[in-house]
Amino acid sequence: MTIVHNLGFPRIGAKRELKFALESYWQGASSREALLATGAELRQRHWQHQAGLDLVPVGDFSFYDQVLDMSFTLGNLPERVHDFHGDALDNYFRVARGRSVEEHAACCGGVAAGEMTKWFDTNYHYIVPEFSAGTGFQLDASRLLAQLAEAKAQGVKAKPVLIGPVTYLALGKARDDSDKLALLPSLLSAYSQLLDTLAAQGVEWVQIDEPVLVTELDTDWQHAFNLSYHQLKACRVKILVATYFGQLQDNLYLLANLPVAGVHVDAINGHDDIRPLLNLLPDHKVLSLGIINGRNIWKTDLNQVLDWLEPLAERLGERLWIAPSCSLLHVPVDLDSEQTLDAEIKSWLAFALQKLDELQVLARALREGRVAVKDELAANAAALAARRASPRVHHPAVRQAVAAIDASLGQRNSAYAQRAAEQAALLKLPAYPTTTIGSFPQTAEIRQARSAFKAGQLDKGAYQAAMRAEIARSVREQEALELDVLVHGEAERNDMVEYFGEQLDGYAFSQFGWVQSYGSRCVKPPILFGDIQRPKAMTVEWISYAQSLTAKPMKGMLTGPVTMLNWSFVRDDQPRSVSCTQLALAIRAEVLDLERAGVQVIQIDEAALREGLPLRQSQWQAYLDWAVASFRLSANGVADRTQIHTHMCYSEFNDIIAAIADMDADVITIETARSAMELLDAFEHFKYPNQIGPGVYDIHTPNIPSERHIVQLMRKAAERVPAERLWINPDCGLKTRQWAEVLPALANMVAAAKTLRLAAG
């Protein structure tokens, strides 16, 4: 009998209940007990949704991040929070965001938040574990045991979920450049103790996530896997090692021969691994196949899956388990909640609950034959056929425009040095020019006006007037702060991808399609279902209005094609590169319209460029070729005097710095504050040719950086990048912060720029 299980469930809630509970607690508006109660209610609801499964994940729920949870379970806390002896939950939030409840700030103060970066090639951010040569581990299983007790009380068939020891070490950073693998013996001792603790609670199976197995591992890390699981095999539980997000390739033999009871592989991204793995896997081991895409929202072709799955089920029998490819953390909760989504497009989709339904249909077909689910299979086939035939998906004019692209469209007229001279003469900026990344706080008034407009309670004229008033406020505040290059603040924008997608043909939008990005931050990725066209200008009116309010340069703010692609649910019926090129043509048209309107500085954000890299370095170049070409296509139709900026979010990009230079943006701004400029290490050996703004204000924490701290960071940056090519800016947009935080932080940033200018003479 085929076992059906799940690797993880979205934790934020179908209506973002956890987000609102967290933010209320952080603001001091609700109690710790209220937050804990919301967590318990969500866990209970999510377990009920999964009641039909043979095994249900427990421990996948988190109040911020599952990697941070593992750090606390292992007692691996940064030294800067060791002296805090208050509530453990508050200490947890101090590591996550620098501070816990706001009302405690006066008495306890903030600390540096843990560094944050992307979880493999997803838009989910995790808190990076911190190590040193002296790191020790001390088990604290209280969080996991409490959730396990809740699950047992509710009759849940529990399968605890852990981040694996090798992946945990691989994801962390040694702050003293010590060898992380030297910590493995003491780390394994903590894991052994944890697994034995779970066994004592009657746990039979434990899912240990080791997604680092789909990356390229040298012999030391391969040895770490063998060492780890040969030690953990003595524990009194059955271990399912789970991999996902990519292909095993040269790690197939390693995984197949680990001394564990079962393995899970991603049959969506690693389908080619299945047959060779079958030939390597010992006869006693369970093989779990991730047959439903846990990262995208299109319906699964159930008949096609059964065609290749049925022979495997006959061969493996009860050793075959089926599941989504990865945790469902990366998709929204329930398609049935959608009341306004286009009915035709809705019929092509499956959110988390619908994906679990698809699993159950496949399981019944394997157990009872296809005839038992013939109606479900017929409905599925009809929906897929309708999507393939829909005239809304394919547009010949877009295909013709893509076919007409030639290399000249991706080239600026002149080399950077000549462009920089023209731009300097036009813009007349001081040394260490200051700017922000684009957005200013999305206040309650802005959100209320947007909601009223969408609900038909506010007409278009009144809404536009309200947004213009907010733009005017942003301009006034920036002029008062004496920033050098201004932004309009993006009051009219709900999200940096959704806003543009709403104005492009080929996109659709959900009401409740929220997924977690980090902590309480949720995004609602638009659904890219068809060929992309731009019917009309998207930003020119707003930017032109903002420019009319000031004599200082006003940046036009756009989201780049690669980020539009990577932060959308992307169609799966053509190569991603083709969709990206279509987006680039649309953004290019907007860039040219902004230039014609007199905008002298245009920022094209590519926050997600690094995120789209394949997990294996051998596959990077193919991606970078089309990703960089798409950015250049979008940006390079302008005159030399027009200054092109781009921005990149938290990511390790040192190893692709040459590709970033090849983008040939005049100015790049990057997030470096949490890593104390560590990301600039790449510039010690690579002479980046253009201008760069290393972020000095970590906007993901309520902490306000001091002038002195910013000066120190910029002097550190000047050791790697010539001072004459440095800008000063925050790490990212400011929409999630409050004005009371933003104004003093930016005032310190401008003061730091003045100090640096004086010192430079």
Side-chain angles (χ1 to χ4, degrees):
M1 185 75 76
T2 300
I3 297 293
V4 185
H5 71 118
N6 187 21
L7 274 64
F9 197 83
R11 61 180 71 120
I12 207 73
K15 302 292 177 64
R16 294 182 293 165
E17 294 92 331
L18 183 59
K19 168 190 173 66
F20 300 121
L22 283 167
E23 293 174 355
S24 178
Y25 175 68
W26 292 336
Q27 293 161 11
S30 63
S31 67
R32 177 182 186 275
E33 290 69 29
L35 175 60
L36 296 178
T38 298
E41 181 183 344
L42 286 170
R43 288 192 294 271
Q44 180 179 11
R45 186 190 312 166
H46 298 163
W47 289 331
Q48 288 172 346
H49 286 323
Q50 301 172 84
L53 303 179
D54 297 307
L55 287 171
V56 175
V58 171
D60 55 328
F61 178 87
S62 174
F63 279 115
Y64 204 95
D65 165 49
Q66 71 268 16
V67 182
L68 182 60
D69 288 349
M70 201 69 225
S71 290
F72 271 71
T73 298
L74 296 167
N76 180 29
L77 279 60
E79 289 185 9
R80 60 187 175 276
V81 299
H82 282 182
D83 293 334
F84 178 75
H85 301 297
D87 183 86
L89 187 63
D90 279 351
N91 212 22
Y92 176 86
F93 289 134
R94 278 180 170 76
V95 180
R97 58 191 297 270
R99 187 179 295 171
S100 182
V101 183
E102 302 305 333
E103 67 183 17
H104 291 171
C107 68
C108 304
V111 298
E115 185 178 345
M116 188 163 61
T117 196
K118 299 292 178 70
W119 174 246
F120 292 86
D121 58 349
T122 75
N123 187 31
Y124 177 80
H125 303 65
Y126 70 91
I127 302 297
V128 178
E130 299 177 29
F131 305 125
S132 70
T135 294
F137 302 99
Q138 184 173 357
L139 181 66
D140 178 1
S142 56
R143 176 194 65 88
L144 186 56
L145 292 178
Q147 292 188 25
L148 184 60
E150 286 180 26
K152 283 184 175 181
Q154 295 168 35
V156 174
K157 294 164 282 190
K159 170 172 55 73
V161 177
L162 309 174
I163 303 293
V166 184
T167 292
Y168 180 76
L169 275 183
L171 294 179
K173 285 189 175 180
R175 297 301 178 188
D176 57 358
D177 294 325
S178 58
D179 179 11
K180 293 187 294 184
L181 284 176
L183 301 174
L184 187 58
S186 59
L187 178 63
L188 291 176
S189 178
Y191 269 87
S192 295
Q193 186 181 350
L194 176 56
L195 293 179
D196 284 338
T197 300
L198 293 173
Q201 298 299 313
V203 169
E204 181 182 8
W205 282 93
V206 176
Q207 174 188 318
I208 300 186
D209 288 355
E210 293 282 15
V212 76
L213 273 164
V214 301
T215 66
E216 287 152 337
L217 300 173
D218 64 26
T219 54
D220 288 341
W221 286 93
Q222 291 172 351
H223 176 67
F225 268 103
N226 281 314
L227 178 66
S228 296
Y229 288 93
H230 275 86
Q231 179 166 333
L232 296 180
K233 72 179 181 180
C235 299
R236 295 173 291 114
V237 293
K238 295 178 181 177
I239 294 174
L240 179 78
V241 170
T243 72
Y244 38 79
F245 296 154
Q247 302 167 330
L248 288 161
Q249 293 187 7
D250 51 342
N251 294 326
L252 269 166
Y253 183 86
L254 174 64
L255 176 64
N257 287 282
L258 291 179
V260 295
V263 299
H264 170 89
V265 296
D266 180 341
I268 303 299
N269 293 295
H271 188 78
D272 292 343
D273 289 333
I274 296 172
R275 192 153 301 281
L277 182 60
L278 280 170
N279 295 329
L280 292 170
L281 202 67
D283 290 342
H284 63 277
K285 288 187 182 179
V286 161
L287 175 60
S288 169
L289 295 177
I291 58 176
I292 302 290
N293 194 333
R295 290 183 56 177
N296 214 331
I297 57 172
W298 304 105
K299 280 185 172 174
T300 303
D301 188 333
L302 300 180
N303 285 289
Q304 183 184 67
V305 170
L306 285 171
D307 285 344
W308 63 264
L309 191 59
E310 285 169 336
L312 296 183
E314 185 174 346
R315 175 176 172 178
L316 294 171
E318 62 183 16
R319 290 173 52 219
L320 175 65
W321 293 16
I322 59 174
S325 59
C326 60
S327 169
L328 297 176
L329 173 70
H330 309 286
V331 295
V333 176
D334 187 7
L335 185 64
D336 290 343
S337 299
E338 301 295 329
Q339 301 302 315
T340 61
L341 182 61
D342 180 282
E344 181 183 14
I345 294 169
K346 183 178 177 179
S347 71
W348 305 338
L349 307 179
F351 289 0
L353 292 181
Q354 289 70 43
K355 289 177 183 295
L356 295 179
D357 290 341
E358 289 180 333
L359 268 180
Q360 297 286 19
V361 171
L362 291 168
R364 282 193 62 200
L366 293 176
R367 293 166 179 169
E368 306 170 32
R370 295 196 197 194
V371 66
V373 289
K374 64 180 188 303
D375 292 341
E376 291 92 334
L377 294 178
N380 174 262
L384 295 172
R387 179 186 170 200
R388 286 192 293 268
S390 174
R392 301 173 64 185
V393 173
H394 305 290
H395 294 279
V398 177
R399 301 300 171 115
Q400 291 166 9
V402 170
I405 293 171
D406 64 54
S408 67
L409 296 183
Q411 303 294 326
R412 291 293 288 268
N413 296 327
S414 304
Y416 166 74
Q418 182 175 334
R419 303 196 313 260
E422 286 196 39
Q423 294 161 17
L426 178 68
L427 298 173
K428 298 180 173 60
L429 298 174
Y432 295 102
T434 57
T435 190
T436 63
I437 302 305
S439 59
F440 274 103
Q442 289 268 316
T443 63
E445 293 78 12
I446 292 174
R447 293 193 296 270
Q448 288 165 4
R450 184 181 298 122
S451 296
F453 177 54
K454 286 189 173 183
Q457 300 163 358
L458 192 68
D459 65 32
K460 184 177 180 180
Y463 172 72
Q464 289 181 330
M467 295 302 102
R468 285 192 169 209
E470 294 290 344
I471 290 170
R473 176 189 180 179
S474 292
V475 174
R476 288 196 305 272
E477 298 286 11
Q478 291 173 88
E479 289 204 312
L481 288 163
E482 300 182 41
L483 287 161
D484 299 309
V485 175
L486 310 190
V487 299
H488 78 296
E490 303 181 11
E492 81 286 2
R493 302 186 187 183
N494 45 8
D495 174 83
M496 65 181 290
V497 175
E498 185 174 8
Y499 174 78
F500 290 97
E502 286 176 337
Q503 301 181 75
L504 295 171
D505 292 342
Y507 267 108
F509 301 88
S510 63
Q511 287 173 282
F512 305 111
W514 298 101
V515 295
Q516 186 181 23
S517 179
Y518 63 87
S520 68
R521 173 76 170 137
C522 301
V523 294
K524 187 152 59 70
I527 302 163
L528 198 168
F529 71 88
D531 290 338
I532 296 296
Q533 298 183 91
R534 186 194 75 135
K536 61 181 181 180
M538 301 180 285
T539 67
V540 174
E541 182 179 348
W542 297 110
I543 303 299
S544 297
Y545 171 70
Q547 183 65 82
S548 74
L549 302 175
T550 181
K552 290 191 171 184
M554 176 66 61
K555 276 196 291 189
M557 301 300 306
L558 304 173
T559 303
V562 184
T563 297
M564 290 285 294
L565 182 88
N566 286 336
W567 286 357
S568 299
F569 290 123
V570 182
R571 58 190 292 189
D572 58 356
D573 60 341
Q574 70 179 14
R576 292 171 66 87
S577 58
V578 175
S579 294
C580 199
T581 302
Q582 293 177 1
L583 285 163
L585 286 174
I587 300 300
R588 179 187 180 90
E590 188 71 14
V591 168
L592 295 177
D593 277 350
L594 284 169
E595 185 181 51
R596 280 190 284 268
V599 179
Q600 299 168 342
V601 182
I602 302 172
Q603 181 171 308
I604 307 171
D605 287 336
E606 284 297 14
L609 178 77
R610 177 66 166 78
E611 179 182 310
L613 273 178
L615 295 176
R616 290 181 169 270
Q617 193 166 348
S618 59
Q619 300 169 355
W620 284 6
Q621 195 58 51
Y623 163 78
L624 289 170
D625 285 347
W626 61 257
V628 170
S630 294
F631 175 83
R632 293 178 66 107
L633 177 62
S634 71
N636 284 351
V638 297
D640 288 349
R641 66 180 179 275
T642 299
Q643 190 174 78
I644 296 294
H645 290 224
T646 191
H647 172 71
M648 293 186 181
C649 281
Y650 283 121
S651 61
E652 299 289 346
F653 61 77
N654 293 9
D655 42 12
I656 60 165
I657 190 64
I660 292 171
D662 194 42
M663 293 168 69
D664 199 25
D666 298 302
V667 182
I668 179 174
T669 53
I670 56 177
E671 294 183 288
T672 57
R674 282 202 181 188
S675 66
M677 297 288 165
E678 179 185 296
L679 291 181
L680 294 184
D681 289 348
F683 299 99
E684 292 182 358
H685 306 289
F686 183 90
K687 301 303 180 185
Y688 187 75
N690 303 1
Q691 298 172 64
I692 184 165
V696 294
Y697 165 22
D698 177 8
I699 66 87
H700 298 90
T701 169
N703 296 342
I704 295 170
S706 67
E707 175 190 342
R708 180 171 175 270
H709 179 66
I710 294 171
V711 169
Q712 289 174 338
L713 288 177
M714 290 306 299
R715 284 177 174 158
K716 193 172 182 180
E719 295 172 2
R720 298 164 172 83
V721 178
E724 63 270 18
R725 289 198 273 115
L726 285 172
W727 287 59
I728 302 182
N729 45 261
D731 261 354
C732 201
L734 299 164
K735 66 181 292 184
T736 61
R737 302 263 55 93
Q738 305 296 316
W739 278 107
E741 302 161 345
V742 165
L743 292 177
L746 293 182
N748 290 344
M749 194 180 83
V750 172
K754 292 179 178 179
T755 296
L756 289 164
R757 290 167 193 159
L758 282 173

